[in-house]
Amino acid sequence: MNSACEANFDGLVGPTHNYSGLSFGNVASLKNSAQASNPKAAAKQGLAKMKALADMGFAQGILAPHERPHLPTLRKLGFIGTDAQILAKVTKQAPKLLTAVSSASCMWTANAATVSPSADTKDGKLHFSTANLVNKFHRSIEHETTAAILRASFADPEYFTHHEALPSVEHFGDEGAANHSRFCEQYDTAGVEFFVYGMEAFNSSMPRPSRFPARHTLEASQAIVRRHGLAESQVVFAQQNPEVIDAGVFHNDVIAVGNRNAHFYHQEAFLDNHKMQQDLLKAWGDRTSPLHFIEVPNQAVSVQDCIESYLFNSQLLSRGDNDMVLIVPAECQQTPAVWQYLQELTTSSAPINQVEVFDLKQSMSNGGGPACLRLRVALTATERQAVNSNIWMNDQQFERLNFWVDKHYRDRLVETDLADPQLLTESRTALDELTQLLSLGSIYPFQQG
Ligand code: SUG
């Protein structure tokens, strides 16, 4: 029995979760911008998924939300006065800016960082590179607090190395693990790291999307490979199909997911599927288990159905060798072609044998499915012991966190509520208590006086 694991660290939904239409290129975010949100339900849906996975025997961790509205950003942008005065001014002068600094978007921790397990890196340490998320202003303000949370969660320098975000400019646009997968035999044996990008920043002769932005560049991924000390022969780069970005596939994890020796993806996902397969097979080399390519054809599921159902934004988790379970959002069950495909998949010879459905509607309405909500970290048994022990999900934390949500969260938020100074106070009170529940220390600017 191999005691290494791939742990999932889910972002706990913050108290200001709302729909503001902030993500051009993300169809759900644009479509639901006028809706009222329910932060309490959102947080509870996330906690229920975390608890269910922990109960299924998977290592499940929790990453704390960020301070929102983010007053330090507003001060940086020239607003002065007390917190309440600043909220009043920004509401009057730049209401869209207030929605941007109030987003609870850090819940999608697949975008928090790129993670290279210690089996892949030259120095034998586990490396984190926080993502700059530069393409969207509301997300570009996440990386500093994300880095503080990751450092507080994976603190021991003997095992964990943290890199700051790449330069915050389009040329190095980095969306983290949403565009990164890793193929391996066991979680603690050397893997093939697979980096997917939307465009080459310094080479405009290569195809690019024309309608929606390519958020992630090849150059960003190349920099991560250098920093993490990955072996060239064990790294594969692939370009996303620009046409699917233009259809609304803003991250590769909306159209592909990989785990151990399985790559599950749509026929249209990559610019050159054949090359992607050949490159992965070459890097996979003479490992003993076969590398499975599970390619879903257009005729079974259209790109449109992928975007609406989030079929590929599922979590592909190993129950044992060649035995995987797929964690999908309820929208998959509601999309007939997808549901039928999944029935056929689980009875086929592919290693995906079970499907589990979760209601994540609050997050889904902003374009965030099960896979967006989690950051994967493959850990050896020793590294697992070195993780901050209070961030693991278990019966006690589940009970405590549900109680904490009930105590502090509202069950309805619309855009005008974001101007309420009381909401800021409520959020800070909640987060202050959370840092104690998760033993994180003082990670938020408001805690630093
Ligand atoms: O970056 N939505 C997020 C969704 C991120 C999903 N993550 C992955 N696919 N890994 C985004 O577009 C919407 C916020 C709003 O409109 O209120 C938002 O930020």
PDB file of all heavy atoms in Angstrom, residues 18-23 26 29 103 105 108 110-111 136 138-139 175 178 215 250-251 253-254 310 313 366-368 371-372, ligand 1:
ATOM      1  N   ASN A  18     -20.691  36.958  -4.585  1.00  0.00           N
ATOM      2  CA  ASN A  18     -21.751  37.671  -5.325  1.00  0.00           C
ATOM      3  C   ASN A  18     -21.531  37.511  -6.824  1.00  0.00           C
ATOM      4  O   ASN A  18     -20.490  37.018  -7.267  1.00  0.00           O
ATOM      5  CB  ASN A  18     -21.757  39.160  -4.940  1.00  0.00           C
ATOM      6  CG  ASN A  18     -20.590  39.913  -5.539  1.00  0.00           C
ATOM      7  OD1 ASN A  18     -20.697  40.544  -6.581  1.00  0.00           O
ATOM      8  ND2 ASN A  18     -19.417  39.825  -4.901  1.00  0.00           N
ATOM      9  N   TYR A  19     -22.531  37.915  -7.579  1.00  0.00           N
ATOM     10  CA  TYR A  19     -22.465  37.807  -9.047  1.00  0.00           C
ATOM     11  C   TYR A  19     -22.338  39.208  -9.656  1.00  0.00           C
ATOM     12  O   TYR A  19     -23.282  39.980  -9.613  1.00  0.00           O
ATOM     13  CB  TYR A  19     -23.721  37.109  -9.580  1.00  0.00           C
ATOM     14  CG  TYR A  19     -23.917  35.736  -8.989  1.00  0.00           C
ATOM     15  CD1 TYR A  19     -25.033  35.429  -8.219  1.00  0.00           C
ATOM     16  CD2 TYR A  19     -22.952  34.744  -9.172  1.00  0.00           C
ATOM     17  CE1 TYR A  19     -25.189  34.169  -7.660  1.00  0.00           C
ATOM     18  CE2 TYR A  19     -23.094  33.486  -8.603  1.00  0.00           C
ATOM     19  CZ  TYR A  19     -24.214  33.204  -7.854  1.00  0.00           C
ATOM     20  OH  TYR A  19     -24.353  31.965  -7.287  1.00  0.00           O
ATOM     21  N   SER A  20     -21.174  39.489 -10.217  1.00  0.00           N
ATOM     22  CA  SER A  20     -20.963  40.842 -10.727  1.00  0.00           C
ATOM     23  C   SER A  20     -20.572  40.903 -12.191  1.00  0.00           C
ATOM     24  O   SER A  20     -20.226  41.972 -12.687  1.00  0.00           O
ATOM     25  CB  SER A  20     -19.880  41.544  -9.900  1.00  0.00           C
ATOM     26  OG  SER A  20     -20.385  41.858  -8.638  1.00  0.00           O
ATOM     27  N   GLY A  21     -20.575  39.773 -12.879  1.00  0.00           N
ATOM     28  CA  GLY A  21     -20.252  39.794 -14.313  1.00  0.00           C
ATOM     29  C   GLY A  21     -18.850  40.305 -14.588  1.00  0.00           C
ATOM     30  O   GLY A  21     -18.630  41.067 -15.537  1.00  0.00           O
ATOM     31  N   LEU A  22     -17.895  39.863 -13.792  1.00  0.00           N
ATOM     32  CA  LEU A  22     -16.542  40.431 -13.879  1.00  0.00           C
ATOM     33  C   LEU A  22     -15.631  39.721 -14.874  1.00  0.00           C
ATOM     34  O   LEU A  22     -14.560  40.218 -15.183  1.00  0.00           O
ATOM     35  CB  LEU A  22     -15.875  40.364 -12.494  1.00  0.00           C
ATOM     36  CG  LEU A  22     -16.560  41.147 -11.370  1.00  0.00           C
ATOM     37  CD1 LEU A  22     -15.932  40.795 -10.020  1.00  0.00           C
ATOM     38  CD2 LEU A  22     -16.446  42.644 -11.625  1.00  0.00           C
ATOM     39  N   SER A  23     -16.051  38.545 -15.350  1.00  0.00           N
ATOM     40  CA  SER A  23     -15.111  37.726 -16.120  1.00  0.00           C
ATOM     41  C   SER A  23     -15.491  37.604 -17.588  1.00  0.00           C
ATOM     42  O   SER A  23     -16.128  36.627 -17.997  1.00  0.00           O
ATOM     43  CB  SER A  23     -14.994  36.344 -15.482  1.00  0.00           C
ATOM     44  OG  SER A  23     -14.132  36.385 -14.390  1.00  0.00           O
ATOM     45  N   ASN A  26     -16.003  34.277 -19.654  1.00  0.00           N
ATOM     46  CA  ASN A  26     -16.579  33.225 -18.809  1.00  0.00           C
ATOM     47  C   ASN A  26     -18.104  33.391 -18.908  1.00  0.00           C
ATOM     48  O   ASN A  26     -18.681  34.337 -18.373  1.00  0.00           O
ATOM     49  CB  ASN A  26     -16.049  33.429 -17.381  1.00  0.00           C
ATOM     50  CG  ASN A  26     -16.773  32.611 -16.325  1.00  0.00           C
ATOM     51  OD1 ASN A  26     -17.868  32.098 -16.539  1.00  0.00           O
ATOM     52  ND2 ASN A  26     -16.167  32.528 -15.161  1.00  0.00           N
ATOM     53  N   SER A  29     -20.399  33.719 -15.730  1.00  0.00           N
ATOM     54  CA  SER A  29     -20.206  34.981 -15.002  1.00  0.00           C
ATOM     55  C   SER A  29     -20.968  36.120 -15.685  1.00  0.00           C
ATOM     56  O   SER A  29     -21.631  36.925 -15.020  1.00  0.00           O
ATOM     57  CB  SER A  29     -18.707  35.307 -14.922  1.00  0.00           C
ATOM     58  OG  SER A  29     -18.463  36.677 -14.791  1.00  0.00           O
ATOM     59  N   SER A 103     -15.158  40.739  -4.818  1.00  0.00           N
ATOM     60  CA  SER A 103     -15.398  39.389  -5.321  1.00  0.00           C
ATOM     61  C   SER A 103     -14.805  38.322  -4.393  1.00  0.00           C
ATOM     62  O   SER A 103     -13.702  38.489  -3.868  1.00  0.00           O
ATOM     63  CB  SER A 103     -14.776  39.240  -6.714  1.00  0.00           C
ATOM     64  OG  SER A 103     -14.935  37.906  -7.148  1.00  0.00           O
ATOM     65  N   SER A 105     -13.755  35.588  -5.445  1.00  0.00           N
ATOM     66  CA  SER A 105     -13.201  34.698  -6.475  1.00  0.00           C
ATOM     67  C   SER A 105     -12.036  33.814  -6.005  1.00  0.00           C
ATOM     68  O   SER A 105     -11.700  32.843  -6.681  1.00  0.00           O
ATOM     69  CB  SER A 105     -12.766  35.520  -7.695  1.00  0.00           C
ATOM     70  OG  SER A 105     -11.883  36.547  -7.301  1.00  0.00           O
ATOM     71  N   TRP A 108     -11.902  29.815  -6.002  1.00  0.00           N
ATOM     72  CA  TRP A 108     -11.506  28.876  -7.059  1.00  0.00           C
ATOM     73  C   TRP A 108      -9.999  28.648  -6.960  1.00  0.00           C
ATOM     74  O   TRP A 108      -9.199  29.221  -7.708  1.00  0.00           O
ATOM     75  CB  TRP A 108     -11.960  29.420  -8.421  1.00  0.00           C
ATOM     76  CG  TRP A 108     -13.454  29.565  -8.425  1.00  0.00           C
ATOM     77  CD1 TRP A 108     -14.360  28.543  -8.296  1.00  0.00           C
ATOM     78  CD2 TRP A 108     -14.220  30.774  -8.508  1.00  0.00           C
ATOM     79  NE1 TRP A 108     -15.647  29.055  -8.288  1.00  0.00           N
ATOM     80  CE2 TRP A 108     -15.586  30.409  -8.426  1.00  0.00           C
ATOM     81  CE3 TRP A 108     -13.887  32.127  -8.641  1.00  0.00           C
ATOM     82  CZ2 TRP A 108     -16.614  31.354  -8.467  1.00  0.00           C
ATOM     83  CZ3 TRP A 108     -14.911  33.061  -8.688  1.00  0.00           C
ATOM     84  CH2 TRP A 108     -16.261  32.668  -8.607  1.00  0.00           C
ATOM     85  N   ALA A 110      -8.108  26.320  -7.798  1.00  0.00           N
ATOM     86  CA  ALA A 110      -7.353  25.767  -8.935  1.00  0.00           C
ATOM     87  C   ALA A 110      -6.525  26.887  -9.564  1.00  0.00           C
ATOM     88  O   ALA A 110      -5.526  26.619 -10.234  1.00  0.00           O
ATOM     89  CB  ALA A 110      -8.291  25.171  -9.973  1.00  0.00           C
ATOM     90  N   ASN A 111      -6.928  28.132  -9.330  1.00  0.00           N
ATOM     91  CA  ASN A 111      -6.197  29.271  -9.867  1.00  0.00           C
ATOM     92  C   ASN A 111      -5.214  29.885  -8.864  1.00  0.00           C
ATOM     93  O   ASN A 111      -4.605  30.913  -9.147  1.00  0.00           O
ATOM     94  CB  ASN A 111      -7.167  30.368 -10.324  1.00  0.00           C
ATOM     95  CG  ASN A 111      -8.179  29.857 -11.327  1.00  0.00           C
ATOM     96  OD1 ASN A 111      -9.371  29.862 -11.060  1.00  0.00           O
ATOM     97  ND2 ASN A 111      -7.705  29.386 -12.468  1.00  0.00           N
ATOM     98  N   LYS A 136      -7.651  39.402 -15.220  1.00  0.00           N
ATOM     99  CA  LYS A 136      -8.867  39.991 -14.640  1.00  0.00           C
ATOM    100  C   LYS A 136      -8.472  40.800 -13.406  1.00  0.00           C
ATOM    101  O   LYS A 136      -7.902  40.244 -12.448  1.00  0.00           O
ATOM    102  CB  LYS A 136      -9.857  38.887 -14.210  1.00  0.00           C
ATOM    103  CG  LYS A 136     -10.318  37.996 -15.354  1.00  0.00           C
ATOM    104  CD  LYS A 136     -11.391  38.667 -16.196  1.00  0.00           C
ATOM    105  CE  LYS A 136     -11.789  37.842 -17.392  1.00  0.00           C
ATOM    106  NZ  LYS A 136     -11.003  38.150 -18.626  1.00  0.00           N
ATOM    107  N   HIS A 138     -10.114  41.850 -10.855  1.00  0.00           N
ATOM    108  CA  HIS A 138     -10.580  41.369  -9.539  1.00  0.00           C
ATOM    109  C   HIS A 138      -9.790  40.157  -9.052  1.00  0.00           C
ATOM    110  O   HIS A 138      -9.735  39.892  -7.860  1.00  0.00           O
ATOM    111  CB  HIS A 138     -12.089  41.058  -9.571  1.00  0.00           C
ATOM    112  CG  HIS A 138     -12.492  39.861 -10.369  1.00  0.00           C
ATOM    113  ND1 HIS A 138     -12.434  39.809 -11.738  1.00  0.00           N
ATOM    114  CD2 HIS A 138     -12.962  38.639  -9.985  1.00  0.00           C
ATOM    115  CE1 HIS A 138     -12.858  38.628 -12.155  1.00  0.00           C
ATOM    116  NE2 HIS A 138     -13.192  37.902 -11.115  1.00  0.00           N
ATOM    117  N   ARG A 139      -9.160  39.431  -9.983  1.00  0.00           N
ATOM    118  CA  ARG A 139      -8.387  38.261  -9.580  1.00  0.00           C
ATOM    119  C   ARG A 139      -6.896  38.598  -9.400  1.00  0.00           C
ATOM    120  O   ARG A 139      -6.182  37.907  -8.687  1.00  0.00           O
ATOM    121  CB  ARG A 139      -8.585  37.130 -10.594  1.00  0.00           C
ATOM    122  CG  ARG A 139     -10.074  36.779 -10.787  1.00  0.00           C
ATOM    123  CD  ARG A 139     -10.330  35.331 -10.948  1.00  0.00           C
ATOM    124  NE  ARG A 139      -9.867  34.575  -9.789  1.00  0.00           N
ATOM    125  CZ  ARG A 139      -9.871  33.241  -9.716  1.00  0.00           C
ATOM    126  NH1 ARG A 139     -10.298  32.541 -10.749  1.00  0.00           N
ATOM    127  NH2 ARG A 139      -9.445  32.605  -8.633  1.00  0.00           N
ATOM    128  N   GLU A 175      -2.558  31.426 -14.835  1.00  0.00           N
ATOM    129  CA  GLU A 175      -3.822  31.088 -14.152  1.00  0.00           C
ATOM    130  C   GLU A 175      -3.665  29.847 -13.274  1.00  0.00           C
ATOM    131  O   GLU A 175      -4.643  29.220 -12.879  1.00  0.00           O
ATOM    132  CB  GLU A 175      -4.937  30.903 -15.190  1.00  0.00           C
ATOM    133  CG  GLU A 175      -5.212  32.138 -16.039  1.00  0.00           C
ATOM    134  CD  GLU A 175      -6.078  33.195 -15.345  1.00  0.00           C
ATOM    135  OE1 GLU A 175      -7.068  32.843 -14.707  1.00  0.00           O
ATOM    136  OE2 GLU A 175      -5.739  34.403 -15.449  1.00  0.00           O
ATOM    137  N   ALA A 178      -5.249  25.525 -13.022  1.00  0.00           N
ATOM    138  CA  ALA A 178      -6.389  25.333 -13.935  1.00  0.00           C
ATOM    139  C   ALA A 178      -5.886  24.932 -15.325  1.00  0.00           C
ATOM    140  O   ALA A 178      -6.634  24.352 -16.123  1.00  0.00           O
ATOM    141  CB  ALA A 178      -7.210  26.610 -14.036  1.00  0.00           C
ATOM    142  N   ARG A 215      -5.957  33.793 -21.395  1.00  0.00           N
ATOM    143  CA  ARG A 215      -5.486  34.317 -20.109  1.00  0.00           C
ATOM    144  C   ARG A 215      -4.064  33.867 -19.751  1.00  0.00           C
ATOM    145  O   ARG A 215      -3.413  34.488 -18.924  1.00  0.00           O
ATOM    146  CB  ARG A 215      -6.403  33.834 -18.981  1.00  0.00           C
ATOM    147  CG  ARG A 215      -7.831  34.329 -19.039  1.00  0.00           C
ATOM    148  CD  ARG A 215      -8.478  34.036 -17.686  1.00  0.00           C
ATOM    149  NE  ARG A 215      -9.917  34.184 -17.683  1.00  0.00           N
ATOM    150  CZ  ARG A 215     -10.653  34.099 -16.577  1.00  0.00           C
ATOM    151  NH1 ARG A 215     -10.078  33.867 -15.420  1.00  0.00           N
ATOM    152  NH2 ARG A 215     -11.962  34.211 -16.631  1.00  0.00           N
ATOM    153  N   PHE A 250     -12.528  29.287 -20.858  1.00  0.00           N
ATOM    154  CA  PHE A 250     -11.518  30.280 -20.443  1.00  0.00           C
ATOM    155  C   PHE A 250     -10.330  29.663 -19.713  1.00  0.00           C
ATOM    156  O   PHE A 250      -9.297  30.309 -19.557  1.00  0.00           O
ATOM    157  CB  PHE A 250     -12.172  31.385 -19.615  1.00  0.00           C
ATOM    158  CG  PHE A 250     -12.914  30.871 -18.407  1.00  0.00           C
ATOM    159  CD1 PHE A 250     -12.322  30.877 -17.161  1.00  0.00           C
ATOM    160  CD2 PHE A 250     -14.205  30.370 -18.533  1.00  0.00           C
ATOM    161  CE1 PHE A 250     -12.999  30.385 -16.049  1.00  0.00           C
ATOM    162  CE2 PHE A 250     -14.887  29.875 -17.422  1.00  0.00           C
ATOM    163  CZ  PHE A 250     -14.287  29.881 -16.189  1.00  0.00           C
ATOM    164  N   HIS A 251     -10.503  28.424 -19.219  1.00  0.00           N
ATOM    165  CA  HIS A 251      -9.379  27.670 -18.638  1.00  0.00           C
ATOM    166  C   HIS A 251      -9.423  26.266 -19.236  1.00  0.00           C
ATOM    167  O   HIS A 251     -10.508  25.731 -19.498  1.00  0.00           O
ATOM    168  CB  HIS A 251      -9.523  27.520 -17.113  1.00  0.00           C
ATOM    169  CG  HIS A 251      -9.294  28.776 -16.332  1.00  0.00           C
ATOM    170  ND1 HIS A 251     -10.106  29.156 -15.283  1.00  0.00           N
ATOM    171  CD2 HIS A 251      -8.346  29.726 -16.429  1.00  0.00           C
ATOM    172  CE1 HIS A 251      -9.664  30.284 -14.765  1.00  0.00           C
ATOM    173  NE2 HIS A 251      -8.593  30.662 -15.445  1.00  0.00           N
ATOM    174  N   ASP A 253      -9.172  23.584 -17.710  1.00  0.00           N
ATOM    175  CA  ASP A 253      -9.900  22.626 -16.857  1.00  0.00           C
ATOM    176  C   ASP A 253     -11.410  22.667 -17.085  1.00  0.00           C
ATOM    177  O   ASP A 253     -12.161  21.966 -16.420  1.00  0.00           O
ATOM    178  CB  ASP A 253      -9.530  22.782 -15.371  1.00  0.00           C
ATOM    179  CG  ASP A 253     -10.036  24.070 -14.726  1.00  0.00           C
ATOM    180  OD1 ASP A 253     -10.727  24.853 -15.394  1.00  0.00           O
ATOM    181  OD2 ASP A 253      -9.731  24.290 -13.537  1.00  0.00           O
ATOM    182  N   VAL A 254     -11.846  23.474 -18.050  1.00  0.00           N
ATOM    183  CA  VAL A 254     -13.258  23.433 -18.449  1.00  0.00           C
ATOM    184  C   VAL A 254     -13.442  22.383 -19.567  1.00  0.00           C
ATOM    185  O   VAL A 254     -14.557  22.004 -19.908  1.00  0.00           O
ATOM    186  CB  VAL A 254     -13.741  24.843 -18.900  1.00  0.00           C
ATOM    187  CG1 VAL A 254     -15.164  24.837 -19.415  1.00  0.00           C
ATOM    188  CG2 VAL A 254     -13.617  25.840 -17.740  1.00  0.00           C
ATOM    189  N   TYR A 310     -20.165  21.579 -17.520  1.00  0.00           N
ATOM    190  CA  TYR A 310     -18.870  21.492 -16.836  1.00  0.00           C
ATOM    191  C   TYR A 310     -18.422  20.032 -16.642  1.00  0.00           C
ATOM    192  O   TYR A 310     -17.807  19.680 -15.636  1.00  0.00           O
ATOM    193  CB  TYR A 310     -18.897  22.258 -15.507  1.00  0.00           C
ATOM    194  CG  TYR A 310     -18.300  23.660 -15.646  1.00  0.00           C
ATOM    195  CD1 TYR A 310     -18.550  24.429 -16.776  1.00  0.00           C
ATOM    196  CD2 TYR A 310     -17.485  24.204 -14.662  1.00  0.00           C
ATOM    197  CE1 TYR A 310     -17.995  25.696 -16.921  1.00  0.00           C
ATOM    198  CE2 TYR A 310     -16.922  25.468 -14.788  1.00  0.00           C
ATOM    199  CZ  TYR A 310     -17.189  26.206 -15.924  1.00  0.00           C
ATOM    200  OH  TYR A 310     -16.640  27.454 -16.069  1.00  0.00           O
ATOM    201  N   ASN A 313     -14.879  19.823 -15.840  1.00  0.00           N
ATOM    202  CA  ASN A 313     -14.448  20.504 -14.632  1.00  0.00           C
ATOM    203  C   ASN A 313     -14.745  19.615 -13.429  1.00  0.00           C
ATOM    204  O   ASN A 313     -15.162  20.035 -12.365  1.00  0.00           O
ATOM    205  CB  ASN A 313     -15.119  21.875 -14.490  1.00  0.00           C
ATOM    206  CG  ASN A 313     -14.332  22.761 -13.548  1.00  0.00           C
ATOM    207  OD1 ASN A 313     -14.695  22.936 -12.396  1.00  0.00           O
ATOM    208  ND2 ASN A 313     -13.230  23.281 -14.039  1.00  0.00           N
ATOM    209  N   ASN A 366     -21.075  31.297 -11.311  1.00  0.00           N
ATOM    210  CA  ASN A 366     -19.985  32.217 -11.640  1.00  0.00           C
ATOM    211  C   ASN A 366     -18.912  31.502 -12.473  1.00  0.00           C
ATOM    212  O   ASN A 366     -17.792  31.993 -12.612  1.00  0.00           O
ATOM    213  CB  ASN A 366     -19.351  32.765 -10.352  1.00  0.00           C
ATOM    214  CG  ASN A 366     -19.646  34.252 -10.174  1.00  0.00           C
ATOM    215  OD1 ASN A 366     -19.976  34.942 -11.142  1.00  0.00           O
ATOM    216  ND2 ASN A 366     -19.510  34.733  -8.953  1.00  0.00           N
ATOM    217  N   GLY A 367     -19.242  30.304 -12.966  1.00  0.00           N
ATOM    218  CA  GLY A 367     -18.297  29.577 -13.816  1.00  0.00           C
ATOM    219  C   GLY A 367     -17.285  28.751 -13.049  1.00  0.00           C
ATOM    220  O   GLY A 367     -16.196  28.482 -13.559  1.00  0.00           O
ATOM    221  N   GLY A 368     -17.630  28.336 -11.836  1.00  0.00           N
ATOM    222  CA  GLY A 368     -16.689  27.550 -11.025  1.00  0.00           C
ATOM    223  C   GLY A 368     -17.256  26.203 -10.627  1.00  0.00           C
ATOM    224  O   GLY A 368     -18.164  26.122  -9.806  1.00  0.00           O
ATOM    225  N   ALA A 371     -13.777  21.142  -9.975  1.00  0.00           N
ATOM    226  CA  ALA A 371     -12.320  21.195 -10.151  1.00  0.00           C
ATOM    227  C   ALA A 371     -11.771  22.601  -9.931  1.00  0.00           C
ATOM    228  O   ALA A 371     -10.632  22.764  -9.499  1.00  0.00           O
ATOM    229  CB  ALA A 371     -11.939  20.696 -11.541  1.00  0.00           C
ATOM    230  N   CYS A 372     -12.586  23.637 -10.223  1.00  0.00           N
ATOM    231  CA  CYS A 372     -12.117  25.007  -9.976  1.00  0.00           C
ATOM    232  C   CYS A 372     -11.931  25.250  -8.489  1.00  0.00           C
ATOM    233  O   CYS A 372     -11.091  26.042  -8.076  1.00  0.00           O
ATOM    234  CB  CYS A 372     -13.138  26.039 -10.436  1.00  0.00           C
ATOM    235  SG  CYS A 372     -13.567  25.958 -12.149  1.00  0.00           S
TER     236      CYS A 372
HETATM  237  O1  SUG B   1     -11.801  33.449 -13.071  1.00  0.00           O
HETATM  238  N1  SUG B   1     -15.179  33.566 -12.106  1.00  0.00           N
HETATM  239  C1  SUG B   1     -13.911  32.848 -12.129  1.00  0.00           C
HETATM  240  C2  SUG B   1     -14.147  31.373 -12.301  1.00  0.00           C
HETATM  241  C3  SUG B   1     -12.867  30.575 -12.136  1.00  0.00           C
HETATM  242  C4  SUG B   1     -13.036  29.145 -12.454  1.00  0.00           C
HETATM  243  N2  SUG B   1     -11.831  28.464 -12.252  1.00  0.00           N
HETATM  244  C5  SUG B   1     -11.358  27.455 -13.022  1.00  0.00           C
HETATM  245  N3  SUG B   1     -11.886  27.161 -14.180  1.00  0.00           N
HETATM  246  N4  SUG B   1     -10.331  26.824 -12.589  1.00  0.00           N
HETATM  247  C6  SUG B   1     -13.019  33.372 -13.263  1.00  0.00           C
HETATM  248  O2  SUG B   1     -13.559  33.672 -14.341  1.00  0.00           O
HETATM  249  C7  SUG B   1     -16.624  35.501 -11.746  1.00  0.00           C
HETATM  250  C8  SUG B   1     -16.806  36.608 -10.728  1.00  0.00           C
HETATM  251  C9  SUG B   1     -18.013  37.459 -11.019  1.00  0.00           C
HETATM  252  O3  SUG B   1     -18.362  37.654 -12.174  1.00  0.00           O
HETATM  253  O4  SUG B   1     -18.638  37.959 -10.031  1.00  0.00           O
HETATM  254  C10 SUG B   1     -15.263  34.842 -11.685  1.00  0.00           C
HETATM  255  O5  SUG B   1     -14.300  35.456 -11.262  1.00  0.00           O
END
